[in-house]
Amino acid sequence: PTVPGPTRSDRSSAAITFCYLLPSSHLRLFSSMSDEPAPKKVKTGFEEHILNISTAIMKDAEGKHFTDLVTADVSTMQGIGPKSAEVAAELKINSVEDLATFKYFKWSRALATMAEAEVEGDRPEGSMMNVNKMVDKAYETKTLKEIVEAPVAALQGVSDAAESLLAELHVHTVGDLATFKYCRYAEAIVQAAQYEDVGTDAERKAERAAAKLS
C-alpha cells in the first residue's frame, strides 16, 4: 500500500518541535538573521532633485540618466509604440539620438525659426540669401513662410516613400516636422546629457580630487 506523505500540519509540528530542541544561542542567531537591516543605499547626491520628464519617456526609463537615454531605443519615448517604431526604423531612426539628429527635423526647425523673423516684401535688392540645398527646385524662390506651410516633400531628399512614412507619424508639412514633439524631446535629452553629472556622490568626489592632482 502507498504510504501517505507528511501533511502541512505534520510539517508545521515538526518545525515547532525542531525550534524547541535548538539551543537558545542558535535561536538568537536565527532571530538576528531575520532582523538584519537592509543594505544601506548608496548616496547619489541627487536625492533632493525633483526635476523629471515623466510625460516624454516610458515609466521604466524615468529613473535613468539623460546619458543613458541618448542611446536608448526610440520606443523609450512615450507615445512611440511598436507600429511607430517600425515606421521610424524605415526612416533609419532607431535610437533617441537618431530622433534628435534627424536631418529633416533640424532643417525644418531652422526654416520655421527663420520664418518668424521674415517680413514680407522686405528682401533688399541684390541679396544673396537662399536655402537652395534644403528645398526642391520649385521652392527655391518661395518665402520662408510658404516653405514652412509646404508638404514635407518640399525638403530636398524627402522621397515619396519617406513622405508616406512621415504621414503615418502625423507629419504632413515642413511646419509639422519642425514642431514634431518626439524630435524636440529627444533633442532636449541629448543636449541635457552633455551637462549631466553621472555616478555616485563618492565617485564624483574622487574624480574631482584626481583632477586637482593632475
Side-chain angles (χ1 to χ4, degrees), residues 108-154:
S108 297
R109 189 165 56 81
L111 290 164
T113 300
M114 291 189 295
E116 295 173 9
E118 187 176 52
V119 177
E120 187 176 355
D122 204 37
R123 182 184 174 98
E125 186 177 349
S127 175
M128 306 292 283
M129 194 178 292
N130 70 86
V131 291
N132 289 2
K133 291 184 179 180
M134 278 188 184
V135 299
D136 282 345
K137 191 75 175 175
Y139 290 90
E140 289 179 0
T141 60
K142 302 289 186 182
T143 66
L144 289 166
K145 289 183 174 67
E146 288 173 324
I147 294 171
V148 170
E149 293 169 359
V152 72

Side-chain angles (χ1 to χ4, degrees), residues 74 79-89 93 168-169:
V74 70
I80 296 185
K83 176 62 177 175
S84 296
E86 286 179 16
V87 173
I93 298 173
E168 290 188 48
L169 298 174

Side-chain angles (χ1 to χ4, degrees), residues 66-67 188-198:
F66 286 124
T67 50
I189 288 168
V190 170
Q191 182 70 18
Q194 297 178 45
Y195 302 97
E196 181 181 47
D197 277 337
V198 296

Side-chain angles (χ1 to χ4, degrees), residues 3-214:
V3 179
T7 65
R8 182 179 297 178
S9 177
D10 293 334
R11 288 194 293 269
S12 298
S13 298
I16 293 169
T17 302
F18 174 70
C19 288
Y20 275 122
L21 293 174
L22 281 174
S24 59
S25 60
H26 285 59
L27 289 175
R28 284 195 297 273
L29 174 62
F30 284 135
S31 175
S32 64
M33 288 171 63
S34 63
D35 295 339
E36 188 175 330
K40 190 175 181 181
K41 287 185 177 180
V42 176
K43 188 176 179 183
T44 65
F46 311 126
E47 288 79 7
E48 302 300 320
H49 289 44
I50 58 174
L51 66 79
N52 68 83
I53 53 169
S54 298
T55 63
I57 57 177
M58 298 299 285
K59 193 72 177 175
D60 60 359
E62 289 180 14
K64 294 184 178 181
H65 278 295
F66 286 124
T67 50
D68 296 325
L69 297 176
V70 170
T71 56
D73 190 85
V74 70
S75 60
T76 299
M77 305 303 295
Q78 192 176 135
I80 296 185
K83 176 62 177 175
S84 296
E86 286 179 16
V87 173
E90 289 291 326
L91 293 166
K92 302 190 185 320
I93 298 173
N94 299 296
S95 68
V96 171
E97 186 172 26
D98 292 339
L99 197 56
T101 57
F102 184 46
K103 178 174 73 173
Y104 298 114
F105 160 65
K106 296 180 83 67
W107 285 9
S108 297
R109 189 165 56 81
L111 290 164
T113 300
M114 291 189 295
E116 295 173 9
E118 187 176 52
V119 177
E120 187 176 355
D122 204 37
R123 182 184 174 98
E125 186 177 349
S127 175
M128 306 292 283
M129 194 178 292
N130 70 86
V131 291
N132 289 2
K133 291 184 179 180
M134 278 188 184
V135 299
D136 282 345
K137 191 75 175 175
Y139 290 90
E140 289 179 0
T141 60
K142 302 289 186 182
T143 66
L144 289 166
K145 289 183 174 67
E146 288 173 324
I147 294 171
V148 170
E149 293 169 359
V152 72
L155 295 173
Q156 193 174 127
V158 175
S159 64
D160 291 340
E163 183 179 26
S164 296
L165 289 169
L166 287 166
E168 290 188 48
L169 298 174
H170 309 290
V171 173
H172 303 283
T173 68
V174 173
D176 290 341
L177 186 51
T179 57
F180 190 48
K181 72 176 182 179
Y182 300 112
C183 285
R184 292 191 298 108
Y185 288 167
E187 184 181 48
I189 288 168
V190 170
Q191 182 70 18
Q194 297 178 45
Y195 302 97
E196 181 181 47
D197 277 337
V198 296
T200 65
D201 194 37
E203 288 169 342
R204 290 193 299 278
K205 284 179 180 177
E207 285 180 6
R208 288 194 292 269
K212 288 179 181 179
L213 295 173
S214 62

